[in-house]
Amino acid sequence: MSELDHDPHSSFIKTPQQLIVVVLLSFLIPIIGIILMVQLVISKPSADPNALTTESVAARLQPVGRVEFGAGGNAAGGARTGEQVVKEVCATCHQAGVAGAPKIGDAAAWGPRIKQGLNALVASAAKGKGAMPPKGGNASLSDDELARAVVFLANSGGAKFKEPAAPKPVAAPAATPAAGQAQASAAPDGKKVFDSVCTACHTAGVAGAPKLGDKAAWAPRIKTGMDTLVQSVTKGKGAMPPKGGNPSLSDADLRAAVEFMVSQSK
């Protein structure tokens, strides 16, 4: 056997066709690599096109929890009247028409909605619509309580729906003097009041409300003093109804909520 048969330096290119393929690949591979690198550099992350839809905004606005105040909070589960639910939950937006909510007593706004029928209105309130989260943001509402609230709102605008009968409340056991004193002495929780009443507008800045934590928006308001801020919230200002739409809030609860917002926005 000759030495040429064992030449380790012999080329793997045996034919002209193989030579052409090798030359083409030597050009194409670097070009493809450059194109991929350019696309990687100039590509930009795209935003979710559904992030600003009313449904997505409403979902983000939903409070993490709610707390009830006033007489309604002491009623047995499912026993609140429509008026109580409206005062505690719905008035925040429906009192002043925040984010397009039909105002209480506005016959022109409620007219076309009333024509849809009570069942359609209740289903819409249960699922949420536009900026309104499901059940107005209070998931603890029973189906009957929600229906009574819808009836109260619709009837204020000219409907003649019949409100579902409320079950008889179960009598609560009498509290001992010690328990009563402990309850009376408990300090109001500003964060709970905020989550229950104020978050619907102040979390997203609805209708010009200063967002929680927005130092630039809160700075000139904080300079006016706590008493002035509390008085402004008590009387209502701009699109914000008195006491944020919940007239059952005590003065202590209201001040606690304002103090919480100020503490988070300094």
Side-chain angles (χ1 to χ4, degrees):
M1 186 176 293
S2 67
E3 294 181 358
L4 292 176
D5 293 334
H6 299 282
D7 185 3
H9 301 291
S10 61
S11 173
F12 67 89
I13 301 174
K14 305 297 184 180
T15 64
Q17 290 82 359
Q18 292 178 346
L19 178 60
I20 294 172
V21 171
V22 170
V23 172
L24 289 176
L25 289 177
S26 66
F27 281 99
L28 289 177
I29 292 176
I31 292 174
I32 293 173
I34 293 173
I35 293 174
L36 293 176
M37 290 181 64
V38 170
Q39 289 182 342
L40 179 64
V41 172
I42 66 175
S43 63
K44 297 180 179 179
S46 57
D48 183 359
N50 297 320
L52 295 179
T53 61
T54 53
E55 291 78 6
S56 298
V57 173
R60 292 194 296 273
L61 286 175
Q62 291 187 55
V64 296
R66 298 186 68 92
V67 62
E68 298 170 358
F69 299 92
N74 297 325
R80 284 174 291 184
T81 66
E83 184 177 5
Q84 286 176 324
V85 175
V86 168
K87 287 181 178 180
E88 297 168 18
V89 181
C90 315
T92 301
C93 293
H94 285 280
Q95 186 71 45
V98 174
K103 294 182 180 180
I104 299 173
D106 188 341
W110 280 102
R113 292 173 169 85
I114 292 171
K115 291 180 180 179
Q116 299 174 16
L118 178 59
N119 291 336
L121 288 175
V122 173
S124 179
K127 295 179 180 179
K129 187 174 182 181
M132 178 183 68
K135 291 189 175 182
N138 189 337
S140 68
L141 288 179
S142 69
D143 293 340
D144 283 342
E145 286 177 324
L146 184 66
R148 293 184 201 115
V150 172
V151 168
F152 180 86
L153 288 169
N155 287 354
S156 74
K160 295 182 180 179
F161 297 135
K162 183 178 180 181
E163 181 176 306
K168 294 181 179 179
V170 179
T176 63
Q181 291 175 1
Q183 184 176 6
S185 60
D189 189 330
K191 185 179 185 305
K192 288 184 178 180
V193 180
F194 173 84
D195 290 340
S196 175
V197 181
C198 317
T199 186
C201 294
H202 285 282
T203 295
V206 175
K211 294 182 182 180
L212 183 69
D214 188 340
K215 295 181 181 180
W218 278 98
R221 293 173 168 86
I222 293 174
K223 288 182 180 180
T224 63
M226 184 60 64
D227 291 339
T228 301
L229 284 174
V230 173
Q231 186 178 14
S232 177
V233 176
T234 302
K235 295 181 178 179
K237 186 174 183 181
M240 178 181 65
K243 292 190 174 183
N246 190 338
S248 66
L249 284 179
S250 67
D251 293 341
D253 292 328
L254 195 64
R255 177 174 285 271
V258 174
E259 290 176 344
F260 170 75
M261 287 189 283
V262 168
S263 70
Q264 299 298 307
S265 306
K266 287 183 176 181

